[in-house]
Amino acid sequence: MDCRRCAEPLERPGDYCLVCNTANADAVVIDADRDRADLTMLEADAIVGTSVVRTTPESGENELKELRNYAGRIADELHRKRPETVFAAGVREVLREIQGESQYELLRVTGEDPVATAIERRGERSLDVVDAAPAEKIGGSHSTLIGGRDGMAAIQTVAGHPHVKKVIPGPIDAGGTGSQSGLRAKATRADAGGNVRLLLRDGSSVQENRVVTTARDADGGELVREDLNAALDDADLH
């Protein structure tokens, strides 16, 4: 494949051209199994290339090192492309490791054909990206969170989403009758302005936190909500 701007040969399909500083793929779709990850590079709605990263799963004391190496190689492929957006589907533990190794927020897609789902989602009106650290997005008059470290992890997971502007913790209602142990978090249906609520439940305590997104309407907010619940699910908090 050659660069679409200067025609310089690219080492791998969809690579960012270092000669003329041009991206040749604006999105990457990852479909990751435990032993193989298929990467599909997109430019607009067209597939411009594919690549495969393979590993031989280890067990025992070598498993973690092997998994991190596998995720690191996938993250290196993303870095080579410099995409604006990364969609991801597949095995949860692999996606968690990729997220840890990569600078990109992974937007989860579901269904039998992740590439088709990603292309369909790209057809929606694009949302603005908030380039700020999660801690900078957390604010409001209430500073106490239920669930201790897990509560903070849920808030930071949501605040880390690129289409979240701000997370505003709400008051705590401790008058419930819940019996479930451990913290659970869930993003609720988007309102007309595209914003959602993050519900934290810990035993009988419930906290409703406002999440301000860059979505302009309920449909855009629903896309963000799906991403947030997938991220919370990956973190075992949903």
Side-chain angles (χ1 to χ4, degrees):
M1 178 179 176
D2 296 335
C3 174
R4 60 190 175 93
R5 181 178 181 185
C6 70
E8 181 75 12
L10 302 174
E11 184 176 344
R12 300 178 190 175
D15 275 359
Y16 185 90
C17 181
L18 299 176
V19 175
C20 66
N21 294 320
T22 298
N24 288 283
D26 58 11
V28 176
V29 184
I30 303 170
D31 188 4
D33 287 327
R34 184 58 184 85
D35 62 347
R36 166 184 172 137
D38 293 296
L39 280 69
T40 302
M41 280 59 75
L42 304 176
E43 176 61 37
D45 290 340
I47 297 174
V48 297
T50 60
S51 63
V52 177
V53 178
R54 291 183 173 86
T55 188
T56 300
E58 299 278 358
S59 59
E61 62 181 13
N62 293 324
E63 181 179 6
L64 182 57
K65 181 178 179 181
E66 171 268 320
L67 179 58
R68 286 180 175 170
N69 179 265
Y70 176 40
R73 289 165 56 210
I74 297 171
D76 287 344
E77 285 294 310
L78 295 178
H79 180 69
R80 294 179 65 97
K81 316 308 178 191
R82 313 286 208 281
E84 297 174 4
T85 311
V86 178
F87 297 96
V91 177
R92 192 177 300 171
E93 64 174 329
V94 176
L95 298 184
R96 269 200 292 256
E97 288 297 327
I98 297 172
Q99 185 69 81
E101 296 288 336
S102 171
Q103 63 178 322
Y104 296 99
E105 178 73 20
L106 304 186
L107 303 182
R108 289 289 301 274
V109 289
T110 58
E112 295 183 0
D113 189 339
V115 175
T117 302
I119 291 174
E120 181 180 354
R121 285 196 54 176
R122 284 163 59 83
E124 302 287 341
R125 183 165 55 175
S126 60
L127 303 181
D128 293 335
V129 171
V130 180
D131 186 14
E136 297 176 10
K137 300 181 184 180
I138 303 171
S141 58
H142 298 278
S143 59
T144 302
L145 297 172
I146 64 173
R149 290 183 179 179
D150 286 343
M152 178 55 72
I155 291 287
Q156 290 183 334
T157 295
V158 169
H161 192 281
H163 301 319
V164 167
K165 293 181 181 179
K166 198 170 189 64
V167 181
I168 304 172
I172 298 171
D173 181 359
T177 58
S179 59
Q180 186 179 38
S181 60
L183 182 124
R184 296 289 89 185
K186 179 180 180 180
T188 65
R189 183 173 295 278
D191 62 21
N195 300 318
V196 301
R197 301 279 177 174
L198 174 66
L199 294 181
L200 300 181
R201 297 181 183 274
D202 187 20
S204 62
S205 298
V206 179
Q207 185 172 21
E208 185 177 284
N209 308 280
R210 186 175 179 228
V211 181
V212 182
T213 79
T214 60
R216 303 169 182 86
D217 52 32
D219 288 342
E222 281 298 293
L223 293 178
V224 177
R225 181 185 68 84
E226 292 173 5
D227 288 343
L228 296 181
N229 281 330
L232 291 168
D233 193 32
D234 286 346
D236 293 327
L237 295 168
H238 186 233

